[in-house]
Amino acid sequence: MLHLNAFLMGVGHHEAAWRHPRTDPELVNDVRHFQNLARIAERGAFDSVFLADGVQIWGDVRHTAAGKFEPVTLLTAMAAVTTRVGLIATASTSYTEPYNLARLFSSLDHISGGRAGWNIVTSAGDRAAQNFNRDAVADHAERYERADEFLDVVTALWDSWDDDALVVDVESGVFADPDKVHEINHRGRFYQVRGPLNALRSPQGRPLLVQAGSSEDGKAFAARHAEAVFTAQQTLEEGQAFYADLKSRLAQHDRLPDELKVLPGIVPVLGSTEAEARRLSDELDELIVPVRAVRQLSELIGLDLGDHPLDEPLPPFPPVSRIKGAKSRFELVRDLAVRDRLTLRQLVARLGGGRGHQVVAGTPEQIADHIQHWYEHGAADGFNVMPPLLPSGLEEFVDHVIPELRRRGLFRTGYDADTLRGHYGLGRPASRFERIPS
């Protein structure tokens, strides 16, 4: 069946969501807002909720609803008011240490009863680097080399306690069997970590591993490690090509196609009629602040468009080799602008809804048609649902789209597993220290 993740961002994914009368921008700093969203997603039997993150201000504080909670802390608060929905947080391999991150996600997995997932990012952009005693971001290839080693250390730490390491013999005074608690003694190019982790092996064994890069380095990394991939494609053909490419790489790593779920992003703009949905989409686009949107686009594509006329086509794009940041998102924006011959104003409007993810405006039946078509034509295992307004967009999806998907036999009627790995049909991974029976 379909897999659905609820991508939660402030009061909505549209960049002007905070200005729309159906939202309250003060909620971006209210934990109760996010707890409410988690309960709504659980009511719809979503596999998981997901929080993106960055280690710098996103956008500019003049025009952006900036400010956000650290995601693992926030998901812990959301775990307290839910029992089944998965909890996925973004954390960077570039600006933290493996031991710290392993502890954070192990703790979230224990506290939630086995519902934690880690969205692995390498962090693009110089502004993030400048918050961590660096002048500029490392080059693309080096970021992924670091991420590979980082992940190897983290998974070793998660495995460093055997499942049966606890003894808890009060009479003898033995709490744990030291032969079943392992130093990892990692020495690599980027990290030296002795271990073991100062936490028991968590309910899932390891939290679910999620990845979002679609560059060549990103796809290679996902094929080795990821169990779910959040991606962005604009057309069915692009989605099918990405899906087939990524699934075909798994055999090189002795993995089966079902061991990785591909979840493109979708921004569902819902209305009781198509005209009503279009009206909401137009209302949101009219609230975009052009100067802010152009500045964001300039940062994304590495080309200063501040003085470019809004109603003229874009100038030639630089080669992707010059882009230090998110190469796959740069290529998506470039291809969109060239394919549809967009002016600068049209492009920032298209990106305002979902930063390059597909925006689909229509009735619940039309949204379900789109989801079903991609799912049944080899472009997706499910979707990363990105409501343009929150909480209303998520409530409408749960109340109107999910019943339609269930009517078509495409989505579960309730949970049949207790852990996030269970929702994705994945077993509990064996520890790398597990002894082979003699």
Side-chain angles (χ1 to χ4, degrees):
M1 287 204 174
L2 277 166
H3 295 279
L4 294 176
N5 172 75
F7 185 172
L8 308 179
M9 180 174 284
V11 291
H13 277 272
H14 197 285
E15 72 171 64
W18 69 276
R19 301 184 67 200
H20 196 274
R22 286 172 58 184
T23 66
D24 177 1
E26 303 262 343
L27 293 178
V28 298
N29 290 305
D30 190 337
V31 66
R32 293 167 297 182
H33 167 63
F34 292 94
Q35 290 176 319
N36 180 46
L37 295 176
R39 283 190 290 254
I40 295 168
E42 187 163 83
R43 178 163 62 83
F46 272 73
D47 295 79
S48 47
V49 297
F50 162 56
L51 299 175
D53 193 40
V55 287
Q56 78 283 339
I57 285 283
W58 280 357
D60 63 271
V61 295
R62 179 182 293 276
H63 302 299
T64 305
K68 56 171 40 198
F69 294 104
E70 188 283 315
V72 177
T73 306
L74 181 55
L75 286 175
T76 304
M78 294 158 73
V81 298
T82 55
T83 59
R84 308 293 282 279
V85 70
L87 306 160
I88 301 173
T90 296
S92 174
T93 57
S94 297
Y95 305 120
T96 186
E97 290 290 325
Y99 199 95
N100 291 341
L101 186 140
R103 289 188 73 205
L104 281 171
F105 281 90
S106 175
S107 295
L108 178 61
D109 206 46
H110 278 290
I111 290 167
S112 66
R115 295 186 282 143
W118 171 28
N119 178 44
I120 308 160
V121 300
T122 64
S123 296
D126 292 342
R127 287 192 64 176
Q130 290 158 7
N131 287 334
F132 292 88
N133 201 36
R134 307 173 197 186
D135 293 326
V137 67
D139 69 48
H140 196 265
E142 181 178 313
R143 295 204 309 273
Y144 274 97
E145 287 176 30
R146 179 183 290 272
D148 259 322
E149 185 180 337
F150 190 107
L151 184 58
D152 185 50
V153 176
V154 167
T155 53
L157 289 167
W158 283 336
D159 289 348
S160 60
W161 285 67
D162 290 356
D163 289 326
D164 59 351
L166 282 188
V167 176
V168 195
D169 187 329
V170 176
E171 290 187 8
S172 68
V174 176
F175 182 77
D177 183 346
D179 291 334
K180 297 181 179 181
V181 182
H182 310 279
E183 293 184 358
I184 68 170
N185 293 315
H186 176 90
R187 287 184 174 272
R189 177 185 173 193
F190 299 102
Y191 302 105
Q192 295 182 30
V193 181
R194 178 177 174 178
L197 193 65
N198 58 348
L200 306 180
R201 198 158 194 246
S202 71
Q204 293 187 106
R206 301 172 192 165
L208 186 81
L209 299 177
V210 185
Q211 194 263 352
S214 299
S215 65
E216 281 303 307
D217 287 332
K219 287 186 287 189
F221 184 87
R224 287 192 298 274
H225 305 297
E227 292 156 322
V229 169
F230 297 151
T231 184
Q233 278 84 41
Q234 285 283 317
T235 68
L236 177 66
E237 294 72 23
E238 291 170 351
Q240 289 169 324
F242 178 85
Y243 186 95
D245 180 17
L246 193 52
K247 295 278 187 172
S248 71
R249 297 172 185 238
L250 296 176
Q252 303 169 34
H253 305 285
D254 297 320
R255 302 182 66 196
L256 299 174
D258 281 349
E259 293 178 10
L260 184 150
K261 312 300 183 187
V262 177
L263 307 174
I266 182 174
V267 181
V269 185
L270 280 158
S272 58
T273 65
E274 185 176 352
E276 183 180 300
R278 295 285 177 195
R279 201 157 47 242
L280 175 58
S281 183
D282 291 343
E283 286 174 6
L284 285 164
D285 288 348
E286 287 166 6
L287 293 173
I288 292 173
V289 179
V291 66
R292 183 264 182 198
V294 170
R295 187 181 299 120
Q296 289 291 97
L297 177 60
S298 298
E299 282 189 23
L300 178 65
I301 66 174
L303 182 65
D304 187 358
L305 299 169
D307 296 325
H308 190 80
L310 283 170
D311 295 308
E312 290 187 11
L314 276 76
F317 284 76
V320 69
S321 59
R322 280 178 44 194
I323 302 303
K324 294 175 65 180
K327 293 181 185 292
S328 58
R329 193 55 55 91
F330 165 83
E331 291 176 316
L332 183 150
V333 171
R334 178 200 62 197
D335 294 347
L336 172 64
V338 172
R339 182 184 65 237
D340 294 350
R341 299 179 181 179
L342 301 178
T343 65
L344 179 56
R345 188 188 302 275
Q346 291 169 330
L347 180 58
V348 296
R350 292 279 286 274
L351 296 175
R355 302 171 305 286
H357 293 277
Q358 52 190 298
V359 179
V360 183
T363 64
E365 293 77 16
Q366 289 172 319
I367 302 296
D369 286 343
H370 181 92
I371 289 172
Q372 182 172 3
H373 192 66
W374 277 57
Y375 176 61
E376 292 182 345
H377 287 81
D381 294 309
F383 282 85
N384 197 17
V385 180
M386 305 165 60
L389 301 173
L390 289 169
S392 61
L394 184 59
E395 289 176 315
E396 290 165 358
F397 193 94
V398 166
D399 291 339
H400 301 293
V401 179
I402 284 183
E404 181 63 23
L405 294 172
R406 286 172 173 161
R407 188 184 67 78
R408 302 179 189 196
L410 295 171
F411 192 62
R412 65 169 74 92
T413 56
Y415 290 107
D416 52 16
D418 295 321
T419 68
L420 178 53
R421 286 186 169 278
H423 300 337
Y424 280 89
L426 299 171
R428 194 170 190 271
S431 165
R432 70 178 64 193
F433 298 108
E434 191 171 273
R435 293 166 180 78
I436 300 172
S438 56

